[in-house]
Amino acid sequence: MAKQAKTAITPTREEDYPEWYQQVIKAADLAETSPVRGCMVIKPWGYAIWENIKDDLDRRFKATGHKNAYFPLFIPMSYLQKEAEHVDGFAKECAVVTHSRLEADADGKLQPAGKLEEPLIVRPTSETIIGELFSKWVKSYRDLPLLINQWANVVRWEMRTRLFLRTAEFLWQEGHTAHATQEEALFETRQMLDIYADFAENFMAMPVITGAKTAAERFPGADETYAIEAMMQDRKALQAGTSHFLGQNFSKSSGIKYLSAEGKEEFAWTTSWGVSTRLIGGLIMTHSDDDGLVLPPRIAPSHLVIIPFTPKEETRAEVLDYCHELKQTLEGQSYMGAPVKVELDDRDMRGGEKAWDWIKKGIPLRVEVGPRDIASDSLMVGRRDRAPKDKQSVGKDAFVSGIVDLLDNIQDGLLAKAKKFRKENTRDITTEAEFVEFFTPKNKNQPEIHGGFASMGFCCDPELEEKIAKQYKVTVRCIPNATLKEEVACVFTGKLGKRVIFAKSY
RNA sequence: CGGGGCGUGGCGCAGCCUGGCUAGCGCACCUGGUUUGGGACCAGGGGGUCGCAGGUUCGAAUCCUGUCGCCCCGACCA
């Protein structure tokens, strides 16, 4: 008998968190690295998660009046130059297209030819080109607000990449809006941030803190950047979505002007906001355990897998028929406005092996059906949020009628667990000594496993912020909206400042 | 781009220090059989330019030089 691993994933989170993360992705068959450096191949199970993210967010965007559109992948290099801070932020990670064809040289090797008059950059984000188009579309106050979103891929030539968390090419959504007044634009910025927060918590079961970024962490060209920040299981912070108030910076550089009701020419106020495939990285690191991926039901590509147990050849057909029927019955139930999504795993494999396969993929429920269950009109049900062998026999009818409650129960449980984890690893810090103690690694071999979120007063002096970042490898993740009005003494200077969250970040 | 680690069948690794027969092991895969309510067992089998290039040598997975790639840490970032 082969030795049984205690956990399906090795190493465990405790042993080597970054390696565990990669192994979960592999075991769940979410994605893999590609022949192209820094780019990833998203496999069907991983892409299905992205599709679910996309569908749910898209509904929310449309419900708040936004329309989808598509803008070019290529941006003339000169466009990037229009906004000074924007150039600074993105120039060093742009892929540049300089030629339009290939020609074979004397040795038969292909060489770029047809040099372009003006190089094109592959969009790292689309503010500049969308600004250019907006300037044509906006003439009058009657054209505002202009509320556009695009689902697209972007490229940022990163030095170091990690599947889902940071890849050279990634999928995302970028909303771009233009408004007549500052108030409207600010409202939009915060509204979209709230949508992200609600989505993260209620769809992904990933609790987030909403807040403003300090100047150092702001989007290049933005007056104000807001973000949702989540705590991963290694207690580091993940910026999971951003919403930017761009002021009139881009409308001035792109010429987005309109005539007001009073006949005066005014610059529009713009915003932009986005979330990316990084969310999937956050999802993995929020819920998964040492047996693999754990998916909250609402985001799961499938809610449930039926695993037929057919120990005897003569009962095989009967069991499979029963399973097909059960699948149909379950699909007749509605969860979150759509049929319950059911897999029937009739692969020619041993039942136990299949069960482990689905555990690693994170499917919320496993339903095992064998002759004994059929005889007693019941099912063996395993939940992904419980131990692999913690299974219960449930009457079939009770299971079918309770499936929606059960899925909600799992969803709620995962959110509660993540919130509890965050609470346990968030500390109010009032002195510098406490701060130092909190962020000093307990284990030298795993310095990445550190304190957590430090909630504390900070004067927000940029120089001090930089010094702290260098010294302790932690940064201000955000100035939480929830405590924005609080005035707290800075832990370092004693000056009156804001309550902020310090943490190590991804 | 700096520091560290690693490249050996699909995956995970041993072998390298101290060069020497046909390069091993576990998992996976294929065939046959026995099995079957939680990661099966027995027997047989297929599959590897030892990342790549050059060098040293009678002989290189092993030593030397270069190079490419991956992972971790740092700088940068969603």
Side-chain angles (χ1 to χ4, degrees):
Chain A
M1 187 146 130
K3 75 164 184 224
Q4 289 201 348
K6 256 166 65 192
T7 58
I9 303 293
T10 45
T12 61
R13 287 163 291 181
E14 190 67 27
E15 286 161 357
D16 186 346
Y17 194 85
E19 182 61 21
W20 164 85
Y21 173 77
Q22 297 190 114
Q23 292 305 325
V24 170
I25 291 171
K26 194 187 279 186
D29 209 24
L30 296 176
E32 58 191 56
T33 54
S34 77
V36 183
R37 181 198 168 91
C39 296
M40 72 177 156
V41 177
I42 305 176
K43 301 182 79 175
W45 192 247
Y47 196 77
I49 293 172
W50 178 242
E51 286 178 313
N52 289 343
I53 290 174
K54 209 174 146 174
D55 289 349
D56 195 81
L57 277 175
D58 205 61
R59 256 197 304 279
R60 292 168 191 257
F61 297 159
K62 283 174 181 156
T64 42
H66 302 85
K67 306 259 191 245
N68 284 334
Y70 187 78
F71 298 86
L73 172 67
F74 300 123
I75 299 176
M77 198 166 73
S78 57
Y79 281 30
L80 193 70
Q81 226 134 26
K82 288 181 182 172
E83 216 291 330
E85 284 185 36
H86 199 62
V87 190
D88 273 1
F90 287 110
K92 54 188 175 299
E93 51 188 38
C94 281
V96 187
V97 180
T98 54
H99 292 76
S100 65
R101 62 172 187 274
L102 295 168
E103 280 174 5
D105 65 12
D107 299 329
K109 274 195 184 155
L110 289 174
Q111 301 290 352
K115 191 162 189 273
L116 300 181
E117 246 171 67
E118 181 184 355
L120 299 169
I121 62 164
V122 180
R123 61 178 165 224
T125 178
S126 305
E127 273 75 7
T128 57
I129 192 154
I130 291 179
E132 181 70 19
L133 275 302
F134 274 19
S135 73
K136 289 210 251 173
W137 298 352
V138 175
K139 295 292 169 216
S140 144
Y141 70 94
R142 293 194 177 89
D143 298 325
L144 296 173
L146 182 53
L147 308 173
I148 298 293
N149 177 64
Q150 102 163 326
W151 290 95
N153 58 336
V154 286
V155 169
R156 295 181 188 175
W157 214 262
E158 300 287 350
M159 290 170 189
R160 209 178 116 208
T161 59
R162 288 185 85 184
L163 289 178
F164 292 116
L165 296 175
R166 177 168 301 105
T167 46
E169 179 192 12
F170 56 94
L171 305 182
W172 80 345
Q173 144 288 305
E174 49 180 322
H176 296 269
T177 68
H179 307 262
T181 65
Q182 179 176 21
E183 292 68 36
E184 273 180 48
L186 274 167
F187 176 85
E188 168 78 4
T189 311
R190 291 174 189 143
Q191 170 185 250
M192 299 323 287
L193 185 76
D194 289 343
I195 286 179
Y196 288 153
D198 189 70
F199 168 82
E201 298 215 3
N202 293 316
F203 192 75
M204 301 178 64
M206 181 172 81
V208 293
I209 294 175
T210 60
K213 288 292 185 182
T214 59
E217 300 271 330
R218 222 169 263 157
F219 176 77
D223 278 359
E224 194 77 79
T225 287
Y226 295 93
I228 53 171
E229 295 281 335
M231 184 189 283
M232 304 292 101
Q233 290 183 69
D234 59 356
R235 290 169 262 173
K236 281 161 85 168
L238 182 78
Q239 179 174 311
T242 48
S243 185
H244 313 292
F245 170 66
L246 303 174
Q248 292 179 311
N249 304 330
F250 285 89
S251 61
K252 282 180 179 161
S253 60
S254 298
I256 310 173
K257 290 181 286 191
Y258 71 95
L259 279 180
S260 69
E262 293 78 37
K264 242 177 88 188
E265 187 171 71
E266 307 267 12
F267 282 109
W269 299 80
T270 65
T271 81
S272 69
W273 28 275
V275 296
S276 71
T277 35
R278 175 178 247 203
L279 283 174
I280 298 175
L283 179 76
I284 296 165
M285 290 197 289
T286 301
H287 303 297
S288 300
D289 62 21
D290 295 336
D291 287 322
L293 189 64
V294 176
L295 289 168
R298 287 178 199 164
I299 201 173
S302 295
H303 298 126
L304 169 158
V305 60
I306 300 171
I307 303 173
F309 274 74
T310 55
K312 295 196 177 65
E313 191 57 43
E314 56 268 29
T315 56
R316 195 178 152 77
E318 185 200 344
V319 172
L320 285 177
D321 283 353
Y322 185 93
C323 288
H324 276 106
E325 214 173 288
L326 177 63
K327 181 171 191 273
Q328 283 203 330
T329 308
L330 286 165
E331 284 170 345
Q333 299 291 307
S334 168
Y335 179 62
M336 302 301 289
V340 169
K341 292 177 279 187
V342 182
E343 302 275 338
L344 173 54
D345 189 349
D346 58 0
R347 288 178 296 173
D348 184 19
M349 280 165 63
R350 308 176 70 79
E353 209 174 333
K354 284 186 205 176
W356 279 104
D357 233 44
W358 289 103
I359 288 170
K360 286 185 278 191
K361 289 176 100 72
I363 202 159
L365 292 168
R366 304 183 306 284
V367 173
E368 299 172 7
V369 178
R372 293 212 295 266
D373 304 303
I374 297 174
S376 64
D377 211 23
S378 60
L379 310 162
M380 267 311 221
V381 179
R383 298 168 53 144
R384 187 59 184 88
D385 60 347
R386 303 231 171 120
K389 291 188 180 165
D390 178 2
K391 293 182 301 181
Q392 286 190 316
S393 185
V394 182
K396 189 182 107 175
D397 293 342
F399 179 75
V400 172
S401 60
I403 181 78
V404 171
D405 286 345
L406 182 53
L407 290 171
D408 276 338
N409 181 269
I410 295 173
Q411 180 88 24
D412 295 347
L414 288 173
L415 177 61
K417 191 178 164 198
K419 277 188 170 165
K420 181 164 173 269
F421 181 84
R422 185 179 68 184
K423 195 176 173 198
E424 284 167 356
N425 292 289
T426 300
R427 203 192 299 171
D428 280 332
I429 301 282
T430 49
T431 66
E432 187 165 352
E434 244 183 304
F435 179 88
V436 172
E437 191 273 334
F438 191 56
F439 286 119
T440 301
K442 310 281 180 289
N443 180 347
K444 277 188 187 129
N445 295 323
Q446 292 175 305
E448 69 277 9
I449 310 267
H450 76 114
F453 283 9
S455 172
M456 53 190 265
F458 185 57
C459 62
C460 295
D461 170 45
E463 276 178 37
L464 180 57
E465 191 179 344
E466 200 187 329
K467 200 186 124 203
I468 293 163
K470 283 231 162 71
Q471 196 169 347
Y472 300 107
K473 317 292 178 206
V474 296
T475 47
V476 176
R477 296 326 304 152
C478 68
I479 306 161
N481 289 338
T483 51
L484 194 59
K485 298 209 174 82
E486 248 183 76
E487 292 211 312
V488 206
C490 174
V491 161
F492 303 102
T493 64
K495 282 187 267 184
L496 226 48
K498 299 264 190 248
R499 179 166 289 282
V500 306
I501 300 289
F502 264 98
K504 198 165 178 185
S505 75
Y506 271 96

